[in-house]
Amino acid sequence: MLQLKKNRSFFGALTMILLGSQILSSCSSYREERKPNLISDEVIRDSEKTYGYFAPKRLQTWNNVIQRAAKLSEGEKVIFVNREFNEVPYSSDFALWRKEDYWATPFEFLAKDAGDCEDYSIAKYTALRNLNIPVRSLNLAYVRKLPSMEPHMVLLYTPENGGSPLVLDNEIKVAFPLKKRTDLMVIYKFNETNGYLVNGQKNTSGKNFDAKTIQRWKLYLERPGIYTLLNEEKEESKDSGFFGLF
């Protein structure tokens, strides 16, 4: 009888540990969800002083896109964000900023209601990061158009289950898989944590390098979050649940 009680105590304790592990695991998963960076009403109102009468309405677009896309599946978020930001008119950096090359923040892109290929790509990247798309699934890609070899930037989205990345391109409304974009050659790609030198390889995996060696990207990430609308990226923990605490 004493041995039976001991066994019951042991199995009871084990059950509590396993339940605790499941609860903590679910809590851990919940904490991984970021709260999106929305532009405050005060900042939207104040934007009129710098960017003109229509700027507040244009900046409200950011909040509307994020809030509407939050209800969609991951794949639907990608298509929706690509379509919405492709509606912004194109303009060269020189026409907007009197600079040969300027990487505008999503705030500037929408306040000006115009941008070039880097601005579309960065805005889409930022929106999808705010919608909890993993950083490993997103890469800004410096490409060459074929056969002209003209430089261009696009955003690549790779689903968690793998496959050819989707190309989010401001010049083509539909997001096609990269394997079908025979008009593009990827030179390098990068995100907040890594860079990959590809040089036209079809598998696009490439050789790793520190993305912050791209000077414009480094300077961009150092700008205030009120403009970049990016949270600081942290390494994703592989530990989960009760046993991950030890």
Side-chain angles (χ1 to χ4, degrees):
M1 179 65 72
L2 183 60
Q3 184 63 36
L4 182 61
K5 287 182 178 179
K6 286 182 178 179
N7 287 342
R8 285 176 177 171
S9 298
F10 171 77
F11 286 116
L14 181 60
T15 300
M16 291 299 293
I17 289 172
L18 292 173
L19 284 172
S21 173
Q22 291 177 346
I23 293 169
L24 285 169
S25 178
S26 64
C27 289
S28 175
S29 299
Y30 176 78
R31 286 195 298 269
E32 287 175 2
E33 290 288 308
R34 298 172 180 236
K35 288 184 179 179
N37 284 318
L38 300 178
I39 304 174
S40 71
D41 292 340
E42 181 182 1
V43 171
I44 288 175
R45 285 194 303 271
D46 288 348
S47 67
E48 184 177 345
K49 300 172 187 175
T50 304
Y51 296 100
Y53 178 78
F54 294 105
K57 185 175 181 180
R58 295 194 294 255
L59 285 172
Q60 186 60 44
T61 300
W62 174 267
N63 292 352
N64 294 342
V65 167
I66 296 298
Q67 289 168 337
R68 289 170 63 191
K71 304 171 184 177
L72 304 175
S73 68
E74 181 167 306
E76 290 170 334
K77 288 175 182 177
V78 172
I79 301 303
F80 179 75
V81 165
N82 186 54
R83 184 178 69 241
E84 291 296 307
F85 285 118
N86 276 353
E87 293 299 318
V88 177
Y90 176 89
S91 182
S92 69
D93 285 331
F94 191 79
L96 287 172
W97 307 103
R98 293 294 182 264
K99 295 181 180 181
E100 289 300 322
D101 195 12
Y102 180 76
W103 291 14
T105 64
F107 183 98
E108 295 167 322
F109 175 59
L110 292 173
K112 284 275 192 180
D113 194 31
D116 68 356
C117 59
E118 294 99 347
D119 307 331
Y120 289 94
S121 299
I122 290 171
K124 293 171 189 178
Y125 174 90
T126 305
L128 292 172
R129 290 293 295 119
N130 274 279
L131 290 165
N132 290 300
I133 306 296
V135 68
R136 61 183 173 272
S137 295
L138 297 169
N139 281 284
L140 296 159
Y142 174 77
V143 303
R144 293 278 185 175
K145 299 181 194 177
L146 301 176
S148 68
M149 297 300 286
E150 181 185 348
H152 186 43
M153 185 179 281
V154 297
L155 178 64
L156 301 179
Y157 163 73
T158 306
E160 290 283 357
N161 60 4
S164 181
L166 283 180
V167 181
L168 279 60
D169 187 347
N170 65 289
E171 295 184 350
I172 296 181
K173 301 302 182 184
V174 179
F176 289 105
L178 181 60
K179 64 183 180 182
K180 293 187 177 181
R181 292 294 306 272
T182 56
D183 59 319
L184 298 179
M185 179 173 68
V186 179
I187 307 301
Y188 61 84
K189 61 181 186 175
F190 58 97
N191 53 39
E192 293 156 81
T193 59
N194 288 299
Y196 308 90
L197 184 62
V198 178
N199 277 338
Q201 297 177 65
K202 294 299 182 184
N203 61 15
T204 73
S205 56
K207 182 179 179 181
N208 283 38
F209 68 90
D210 183 356
K212 291 183 180 177
T213 59
I214 304 170
Q215 190 64 13
R216 285 192 177 87
W217 185 234
K218 178 178 181 291
L219 293 173
Y220 179 89
L221 294 175
E222 290 172 353
R223 298 183 67 182
I226 190 174
Y227 300 116
T228 66
L229 302 171
L230 275 174
N231 292 311
E232 182 183 356
E233 177 59 24
K234 293 181 171 58
E235 289 294 324
E236 295 180 13
S237 173
K238 294 183 180 179
D239 294 333
S240 63
F242 183 82
F243 294 106
L245 298 174
F246 295 92

